[in-house]
Amino acid sequence: MVRFVRRLIPLLLLLNWLCAGGFALLLLVSLVEPMMAAHIARRFGPDILSLVLWSMRAILLLGIGVACVAHVIFRRLAAIVATVAAGDPFVAANARRLRHIAWALLAIQFLDLVYGLIVVPLSAATHEYFGWNFSLTGWLAVLLLFVLSHVFAQGAAMRDDLQGTV
């Protein structure tokens, strides 16, 4: 399983940056391409064109932000998996990595809340559902990772103490 994950993470990093690049390209197109605005005006009406365009741009910026945070997660996860593959996962560095991942997931949860603040009014204005619901699962994962990082830190300290006594 570790070998599979070690091969998967570089692919996830690549896909993550491709998505970020796609979001950036769409954001640029939305700023310079009048045909996109014309299409949106035809679909939703000219009275909410501005709301739809600015909401779309904000969502694309959020996507780029999430991709940056996901990069942190994937890099830290790759480092943790490398220590597992080497047979030495209970080190203080992994506790710090887990804490970094927890902070990154917390950032994603806040970005998700911002996404909700954007799409709920947008859904009401356009009468289309843009797919946001508050989810407790992500928040629980953040708490779990903070606790797990503390457990790793304590385990690494105990292991270091044990090695120091031998």
Side-chain angles (χ1 to χ4, degrees):
M1 182 59 120
V2 172
R3 189 177 311 147
F4 172 73
V5 173
R6 285 185 82 175
R7 290 185 181 153
L8 180 64
I9 291 173
L11 177 63
L12 293 174
L13 280 164
L14 175 65
L15 290 173
N16 184 54
W17 285 118
L18 288 174
C19 286
F23 294 152
L25 181 63
L26 285 172
L27 181 61
L28 180 64
V29 167
S30 79
L31 294 170
V32 299
E33 180 56 51
M35 286 179 56
M36 182 181 284
H39 175 72
I40 291 170
R42 278 193 308 275
R43 178 169 172 128
F44 297 110
D47 51 328
I48 62 168
L49 172 63
S50 178
L51 172 68
V52 174
L53 278 175
W54 285 106
S55 297
M56 180 183 68
R57 291 171 184 153
I59 291 167
L60 290 168
L61 282 172
L62 285 175
I64 293 168
V66 169
C68 292
V69 175
H71 178 77
V72 170
I73 293 171
F74 292 141
R75 296 295 296 193
R76 299 307 187 277
L77 184 58
I80 291 171
V81 170
T83 63
V84 171
D88 194 22
F90 295 103
V91 294
N94 280 350
R96 285 189 303 276
R97 291 175 183 129
L98 283 170
R99 195 169 22 263
H100 290 159
I101 291 171
W103 282 111
L105 283 179
L106 181 63
I108 288 174
Q109 291 306 305
F110 280 114
L111 290 171
D112 181 58
L113 287 177
V114 173
Y115 174 74
L117 290 173
I118 294 168
V119 299
V120 168
L122 182 63
S123 293
T126 62
H127 306 291
E128 289 199 22
Y129 178 65
F130 287 97
W132 182 83
N133 286 313
F134 179 79
S135 174
L136 193 59
T137 308
W139 293 96
L140 290 174
V142 169
L143 292 174
L144 176 68
L145 277 172
F146 276 118
V147 169
L148 189 59
S149 72
H150 187 69
V151 168
F152 257 72
Q154 292 294 322
M158 289 170 57
R159 185 176 147 235
D160 290 343
D161 287 346
L162 183 61
Q163 285 179 345
T165 59
V166 175

